[in-house]
Amino acid sequence: MKLRSVAVAVGLAMVAAGVLVALAWGADPSAIPSAAPVVVLEGGDLRSDGAGPGLVGNPLLILGAVVALGVATAVVTFAVARLTRPG
């Protein structure tokens, strides 16, 4: 029973990580949902160091941190549930 619960928790964490990676790869920042024409200013984003318009920081590092936080939360929740279970 214990191994099965751990396997389910790990499986759910892997599915969540896969969904996040798929969403990150599938995101198209150039897609504009409005039908109206949009004027794009040439000159770039002053916050960026030339890596791309609007990209500040390291998106992959942030994605990894979010996934790690989710896995850590799942592990702590599982541990608390196991330790505080009556009987």
Side-chain angles (χ1 to χ4, degrees):
M1 179 74 169
K2 186 176 183 180
L3 182 61
R4 186 176 184 187
S5 299
V6 171
V8 169
V10 170
L12 288 174
M14 291 175 69
V15 168
V19 167
L20 287 174
V21 169
L23 288 174
W25 279 341
D28 184 8
S30 65
I32 300 172
S34 72
V38 177
V39 176
V40 178
L41 299 176
E42 298 295 329
D45 188 357
L46 299 176
R47 299 173 297 166
S48 177
D49 60 352
L55 295 178
V56 178
N58 188 347
L60 292 179
L61 178 65
I62 295 169
L63 176 65
V66 168
V67 170
L69 181 62
V71 170
T73 302
V75 168
V76 169
T77 302
F78 177 74
V80 168
R82 296 293 282 177
L83 292 174
T84 59
R85 182 174 53 164

